[in-house]
Amino acid sequence: MKPKINKILKKNKAMFLAYDQGLEHGPTDFNDKNVNPEFVINIAKKGKFTGLILQKGIIEKYNEKIKKIKIPLIVKLNGKTNLFKGEPVSKQLCTVDEAIQLGASAVGYTLYPGSEYEREMFSEFENIEREAHKKGLPVIAWIYPRGKSIKGKKKKDLMAYATRTGLELGADIIKIEPSGKKEDLKWAVKAAGKARVVIAGGHKKNEKELLKEIKEAISVGCSGVAIGRNVWQSKNPLKVAEKIRRIVLG
Amino acid sequence: MKPKINKILKKNKAMFLAYDQGLEHGPTDFNDKNVNPEFVINIAKKGKFTGLILQKGIIEKYNEKIKKIKIPLIVKLNGKTNLFKGEPVSKQLCTVDEAIQLGASAVGYTLYPGSEYEREMFSEFENIEREAHKKGLPVIAWIYPRGKSIKGKKKKDLMAYATRTGLELGADIIKIEPSGKKEDLKWAVKAAGKARVVIAGGHKKNEKELLKEIKEAISVGCSGVAIGRNVWQSKNPLKVAEKIRRIVLG
Amino acid sequence: MKPKINKILKKNKAMFLAYDQGLEHGPTDFNDKNVNPEFVINIAKKGKFTGLILQKGIIEKYNEKIKKIKIPLIVKLNGKTNLFKGEPVSKQLCTVDEAIQLGASAVGYTLYPGSEYEREMFSEFENIEREAHKKGLPVIAWIYPRGKSIKGKKKKDLMAYATRTGLELGADIIKIEPSGKKEDLKWAVKAAGKARVVIAGGHKKNEKELLKEIKEAISVGCSGVAIGRNVWQSKNPLKVAEKIRRIVLG
Amino acid sequence: MKPKINKILKKNKAMFLAYDQGLEHGPTDFNDKNVNPEFVINIAKKGKFTGLILQKGIIEKYNEKIKKIKIPLIVKLNGKTNLFKGEPVSKQLCTVDEAIQLGASAVGYTLYPGSEYEREMFSEFENIEREAHKKGLPVIAWIYPRGKSIKGKKKKDLMAYATRTGLELGADIIKIEPSGKKEDLKWAVKAAGKARVVIAGGHKKNEKELLKEIKEAISVGCSGVAIGRNVWQSKNPLKVAEKIRRIVLG
Amino acid sequence: MKPKINKILKKNKAMFLAYDQGLEHGPTDFNDKNVNPEFVINIAKKGKFTGLILQKGIIEKYNEKIKKIKIPLIVKLNGKTNLFKGEPVSKQLCTVDEAIQLGASAVGYTLYPGSEYEREMFSEFENIEREAHKKGLPVIAWIYPRGKSIKGKKKKDLMAYATRTGLELGADIIKIEPSGKKEDLKWAVKAAGKARVVIAGGHKKNEKELLKEIKEAISVGCSGVAIGRNVWQSKNPLKVAEKIRRIVLG
């Protein structure tokens, strides 16, 4: 079945709110407000995001609230803490069937090409993709080259390698960490071919810088953003969301 | 099916007696009395604990006695000795189905985030959780950050990371080792969101200190305790249990 | 189904003849006589052992002879050579179903707690145990703490840790290597709770010493012995067997 | 079922266009034109190749275009990035069934004999082969000796070892990297027995050199070429293709 | 079902022609003649061998020829190249069912006791054996102690350890590398009990030496030989075969 990608797009663009940082980075990313999933779920609703990215545990415990807001759910299927300092590897924590039962409109999975464990994640990703596509679910791949082996490589090359990997592996949308240079991103979008590219927000940045980056991303063909900290760490999350929406959705 | 968590709570609070130390630490924790499972099973009964934590081997061999005391059974599903000195990893030793046949009201599993083997335990935990929740069984996660990688990390951060990990992975109750500082625990409870937090008793302590710690835990929102050595190593286990009960169950 | 342990006991005591040394140590343990399985099978018969411990390969090839002697068969389900010098690990070589077809009255499995591979063996053991107990077959665990990590540990502690591990993992009988001190063994038997303990014979010893050790073992609550070299390396195996039987079976 | 190898041959010869370099080497192999799969798909058509080699992701996204050109599809079933610097290992990313659904006339798999992970790939390859042959699909093995262990080995020996490995493992066509010496290739073709050998084009070369190499390959019994960069990186891909065709297909 | 071992014996003796060296050592063992499987298949026929040992790939490609000669087929089920320089490990490349479909009268598998990967091969071997014996197929184990751990061990001990391992694991025939000393082989045959022992031919030797070795082997109870290079590398393979036959089959 063809992945129903329109469920998580508006005007053919993506504006995803990411909130899996509690597992990926730990609560050091949080303050007293945004440590509460309900706070962020509300932002997803009021900020009119086209998708909300969560781990299954939060979806289960905040199920009722999430059902009410009617924002398409993107269930992250793998995850890890940032405590282990060796080569990065993130394994499946939720099945495609579970994600569907939780109401998923799409599933996400992180790949670390360059890691000693690249092949474990590639294999797992392919199995997930097969299952998800069978059920019409789009697959979003977080693709972050990592590990000792990539030292000294150019960001531009890594970005384009990431998006191309996503295309060849069959991802529908590829999330990458942008270098900040428009030309780099342009090449990465080209390398992705018919697969879509969204940029990660990353660490909290100066707002002006962030918006400029998003504008440039859209101008070179990106499909949008998957953003978290720059929104829910902001003093005024809804204002930031509104500004992003104007850029992404026009 | 929604986990039937009330089976192991009283007044919405948890007071669990843990007795899996024979495998986890070896019989060095024991004396001539408490080396005998029947001694501890009696304490669970007379101390009116809301749950008794055991490995399957003890449940099988002391089955009749355990059935009589009618204390809800929490079957620990993984375990390891403390002999191996490398990165910690604890694997499944009992299935959810076996646990149910043994009369389990809940199941437990230990995770060591930060270990080189983090992903093996996360994967296994998720499979167990899926199975347990399908059958309405609550899942308790012992979450202890460990391994070479966590050296130098602050206890406060690790505690909150542990509880958040439990929330995102879908645990119903998260058992952590408290730092002893009220503020640290408060933040950890916040990070757990709607997942419940219970504190481990740990090594035998001064009774006054122990009770103060429990009081503080309850005051910042903990759901209770999972305690072992501080009870059954005590000269008067039932007296200690009574004091804990007054604090936890009010 | 409750394990039918009486099949391998007499007067509630165990006297097992072990003959898996060919795989575990190599034929250096053998001479021209005892290298022949038929020689040892005869000893099992004439020495009136309550069980004979063999690997499946020998059972298959000496099937007719074994059927005739009508000594209960204990099929060892895992094994390794002693050639590899790294951390010890012994994997399953025979299924429970195969063992049953070969006529097993019980199955055996060796665990090396403390080894880097502890978890692999614990997992495999549990699966075997589940299967065996379902069919009413008792499970005997050889539990030998090993590996770099245990250096410097006290024998007494290791012995008690071994038996406790067996109890918590659900073994019916635990075979350990005794330190030679009565007090150590007494504590190990206590730590085993309702699980039974048998002592390994180990290297060929002075007969007097051996018999003293067995006498002490019985006096502190051991269920018997699992012995090999001290019998079939002896000049007069049946005489030794007879002496052991008097001590163990009274 | 006998593999239907004629589907990917013309006049009993093979002329395959390879385009999996985006995953294997990254987009550094590409320019603004050939980064676009449609550009290369057109070359396959107009260059009259007897097969087009792609990863599943590209086939899915460029499905309609690919169906129109009616060039037999060879689906590459494993792949890896070149980022990780350790011993090479490439795992399955697509099943035989998926490949068939995507319209495959044959499947491909890369083996790295000499790598620490040789056995993982050999095992996986055999499973794929069994499945593919059951369905009448020919199997093409990329066989590239690699890893620390092969340092100092002679190219001639490695080439012949590669083709012989392919024969013994059951591959229908073996793709190797030629040394450039006719005698080496002749021996490799002999070692392959009844299995077919095609040579890889490798890095972009001087055209004259390339054509000479192909001519020699055909003269010593090779079945053809599997070529990529030397065609689609060329200023005039169709001209190069035409020259190759005259040599290979006569 | 009892393994039908008589299918690969004549007068209760074995004379196997081995031709899996192309995978195990590479084509450096070959010349222009014997690189061709048909050359060796003819030798099997005309030399009246009691079995021909091949990997599945060669059987598939030379199927018609092999059927015609009517020499019992022994399918080698695992294999590896000799390129990787680490601890040896050889994994399954062909299933028992496949072997049967290819016309196997027996199956073979190589074990390297002493290797870091000993347990992987032991496990796999046992599964193969179970399957093969179920179908009445005899199992031949190549048992070669290897790896860093065996340095300094005596050949005599290793030979006997190899055959004993084969007996305990359930092999029907055990192929070992003889030390050249009659006494060593005699002890190894004893250690094998009711399992049969055949000796490997190994590197091409002086013919006289070879024949003396075989004569001695038969005299101490060996069941025969599994020989390759000493036959098909010979200037007159059929003459050598004839001489061997007279010794082995009398």
Side-chain angles (χ1 to χ4, degrees), chain A residues 39-211:
Chain A
F39 176 80
V40 176
I41 294 168
N42 278 330
I43 293 173
K45 169 72 180 167
K46 293 183 185 158
K48 295 176 193 167
F49 282 84
T50 71
L52 172 59
I53 299 162
L54 294 171
Q55 281 283 349
K56 93 171 190 193
I58 291 191
I59 303 174
E60 287 171 342
K61 293 276 187 303
Y62 296 84
N63 206 11
E64 288 178 34
K65 174 111 198 147
I66 287 167
K67 273 184 183 162
K68 274 186 205 152
I69 64 163
K70 291 179 184 170
I71 297 298
L73 212 50
I74 296 161
V75 182
K76 191 74 193 308
L77 298 191
N78 67 341
K80 64 170 194 59
T81 71
N82 70 5
L83 293 172
F84 177 56
K85 294 306 178 204
E87 292 282 285
V89 53
S90 180
K91 299 293 282 267
Q92 185 168 4
L93 301 175
C94 178
T95 66
V96 170
D97 275 345
E98 256 183 310
I100 290 171
Q101 279 168 26
L102 291 171
S105 292
V107 292
Y109 189 96
T110 304
L111 297 162
Y112 298 113
S115 160
E116 187 189 335
Y117 305 106
E118 177 188 295
R119 72 189 185 287
E120 287 190 32
M121 292 174 280
F122 277 26
S123 283
E124 203 168 72
F125 177 72
E126 286 298 335
N127 287 326
I128 282 171
E129 195 186 273
R130 193 172 301 128
E131 192 66 16
H133 282 174
K134 225 182 274 173
K135 317 258 165 106
L137 231 53
V139 175
I140 305 172
W142 278 234
I143 309 192
Y144 301 159
R146 291 275 163 86
K148 272 178 275 170
S149 292
I150 68 157
K151 267 178 194 161
K153 302 255 172 190
K154 285 184 200 158
K155 281 202 173 176
K156 184 184 177 177
D157 290 344
L158 292 174
M159 278 165 64
Y161 208 158
T163 59
R164 187 70 180 196
T165 296
L167 169 65
E168 305 236 359
L169 296 187
D172 300 298
I173 299 179
I174 300 145
K175 184 185 173 191
I176 60 167
E177 292 169 331
S179 66
K181 289 188 194 156
K182 191 174 162 178
E183 282 316 299
D184 295 0
L185 195 52
K186 193 177 169 182
W187 178 233
V189 169
K190 273 219 155 161
K194 288 194 178 180
R196 288 162 187 277
V197 178
V198 298
I199 57 167
H203 288 288
K204 180 99 169 57
K205 292 165 190 165
N206 172 288
E207 192 185 297
K208 224 167 153 179
E209 228 177 274
L210 174 78
L211 297 176

Side-chain angles (χ1 to χ4, degrees), chain A residues 118 126 130 149 161 164, chain D residues 23 35 56 62 81 85 98:
Chain A
E118 177 188 295
E126 286 298 335
R130 193 172 301 128
S149 292
Y161 208 158
R164 187 70 180 196
Chain D
L23 179 59
V35 73
K56 93 171 190 194
Y62 296 85
T81 71
K85 294 304 177 207
E98 256 183 310

Side-chain angles (χ1 to χ4, degrees), chain E residues 53-160:
Chain E
I53 299 162
L54 294 170
Q55 281 283 348
K56 92 171 191 193
I58 291 190
I59 303 173
E60 287 172 341
K61 293 277 186 302
Y62 297 84
N63 206 9
E64 288 177 35
K65 175 113 198 147
I66 287 168
K67 273 184 183 163
K68 275 186 206 151
I69 65 164
K70 290 177 187 173
I71 299 298
L73 212 51
I74 296 161
V75 183
K76 190 75 193 307
L77 298 191
N78 66 341
K80 65 170 193 61
T81 71
N82 69 5
L83 294 172
F84 177 57
K85 293 304 177 207
E87 292 282 285
V89 53
S90 180
K91 300 292 284 263
Q92 186 169 5
L93 301 175
C94 178
T95 65
V96 170
D97 276 345
E98 256 183 310
I100 291 171
Q101 279 169 27
L102 291 171
S105 292
V107 292
Y109 189 96
T110 305
L111 296 162
Y112 299 113
S115 161
E116 185 188 335
Y117 305 107
E118 176 187 295
R119 73 190 186 285
E120 287 191 30
M121 292 173 281
F122 277 25
S123 282
E124 204 167 72
F125 176 74
E126 286 298 333
N127 286 324
I128 282 170
E129 195 186 272
R130 192 172 302 129
E131 193 66 16
H133 283 174
K134 225 182 277 176
K135 316 258 164 105
L137 231 54
V139 175
I140 305 172
W142 279 234
I143 309 191
Y144 302 159
R146 290 276 163 84
K148 272 177 275 172
S149 292
I150 68 157
K151 267 177 194 161
K153 302 256 172 189
K154 285 185 199 157
K155 280 203 175 178
K156 183 183 178 180
D157 290 343
L158 291 175
M159 279 166 63

Side-chain angles (χ1 to χ4, degrees), chain C residues 118-173:
Chain C
E118 176 188 294
R119 72 188 186 288
E120 286 191 30
M121 292 173 280
F122 277 26
S123 283
E124 204 167 73
F125 176 73
E126 286 298 335
N127 286 325
I128 282 170
E129 195 186 272
R130 192 173 302 128
E131 194 66 16
H133 282 174
K134 225 182 277 174
K135 317 258 164 105
L137 231 54
V139 175
I140 305 172
W142 278 234
I143 310 191
Y144 301 159
R146 291 276 163 85
K148 272 178 274 172
S149 292
I150 68 158
K151 267 177 192 160
K153 302 255 171 190
K154 284 184 200 158
K155 281 203 174 177
K156 182 183 177 180
D157 290 343
L158 291 174
M159 280 166 64
Y161 208 157
T163 59
R164 187 70 180 197
T165 295
L167 169 65
E168 304 236 358
L169 296 187
D172 300 300
I173 298 179

Side-chain angles (χ1 to χ4, degrees), chain D:
Chain D
M1 208 194 299
K2 236 190 157 175
K4 297 172 184 166
I5 201 162
N6 286 326
K7 278 203 174 177
I8 51 170
L9 300 177
K10 238 178 245 170
K11 301 184 184 177
N12 213 17
K13 286 287 182 299
M15 184 178 151
F16 302 146
L17 187 62
Y19 189 58
D20 61 338
Q21 291 82 354
L23 179 59
E24 298 293 332
H25 313 143
T28 50
D29 279 3
F30 299 144
N31 61 24
D32 266 0
K33 270 193 198 167
N34 57 36
V35 73
N36 185 348
E38 302 199 341
F39 177 80
V40 176
I41 294 167
N42 278 330
I43 293 172
K45 168 72 181 166
K46 292 183 185 159
K48 296 176 192 165
F49 282 83
T50 71
L52 171 59
I53 300 162
L54 294 171
Q55 281 283 349
K56 93 171 190 194
I58 290 191
I59 303 173
E60 288 171 342
K61 293 275 186 306
Y62 296 85
N63 207 10
E64 289 178 34
K65 175 114 198 145
I66 288 168
K67 273 184 182 162
K68 275 187 205 151
I69 64 164
K70 291 177 185 172
I71 298 298
L73 212 49
I74 296 160
V75 183
K76 191 74 194 307
L77 298 191
N78 67 340
K80 65 170 193 61
T81 71
N82 70 5
L83 294 172
F84 177 57
K85 294 304 177 207
E87 293 282 285
V89 53
S90 180
K91 299 293 282 265
Q92 186 169 4
L93 301 175
C94 179
T95 65
V96 169
D97 275 346
E98 256 183 310
I100 290 171
Q101 278 169 28
L102 291 171
S105 292
V107 292
Y109 190 96
T110 304
L111 296 162
Y112 299 114
S115 161
E116 186 188 335
Y117 305 106
E118 177 188 295
R119 73 189 186 287
E120 286 190 32
M121 293 173 280
F122 277 26
S123 283
E124 203 168 72
F125 176 73
E126 286 298 334
N127 287 325
I128 282 170
E129 195 186 272
R130 193 172 302 128
E131 193 67 16
H133 283 173
K134 225 182 274 174
K135 317 258 163 106
L137 231 53
V139 174
I140 305 171
W142 278 234
I143 309 192
Y144 302 159
R146 291 274 164 85
K148 272 177 276 172
S149 292
I150 68 158
K151 267 177 194 161
K153 303 255 172 189
K154 285 184 199 157
K155 280 202 176 179
K156 183 184 177 179
D157 290 344
L158 291 175
M159 279 166 64
Y161 208 157
T163 59
R164 187 69 180 197
T165 296
L167 169 65
E168 305 236 358
L169 296 187
D172 300 299
I173 299 179
I174 300 145
K175 184 184 173 192
I176 60 167
E177 292 169 330
S179 66
K181 290 187 194 155
K182 193 175 162 176
E183 282 315 300
D184 294 0
L185 195 52
K186 194 177 168 182
W187 178 233
V189 170
K190 271 219 156 165
K194 289 194 177 180
R196 288 162 188 276
V197 177
V198 298
I199 57 167
H203 287 288
K204 179 101 169 56
K205 294 165 188 163
N206 173 288
E207 192 183 296
K208 225 169 153 178
E209 227 177 274
L210 174 78
L211 297 175
K212 180 172 168 272
E213 196 168 87
I214 297 175
K215 215 171 290 183
E216 285 178 3
I218 297 300
S219 78
V220 298
C222 275
S223 287
V225 295
I227 202 159
R229 287 165 286 175
N230 279 287
V231 171
W232 44 254
Q233 282 181 359
S234 160
K235 284 190 190 159
N236 202 328
L238 295 182
K239 235 178 189 165
V240 179
E242 175 59 24
K243 285 174 184 169
I244 294 170
R245 206 168 66 243
R246 276 196 210 139
I247 298 167
V248 175
L249 304 180

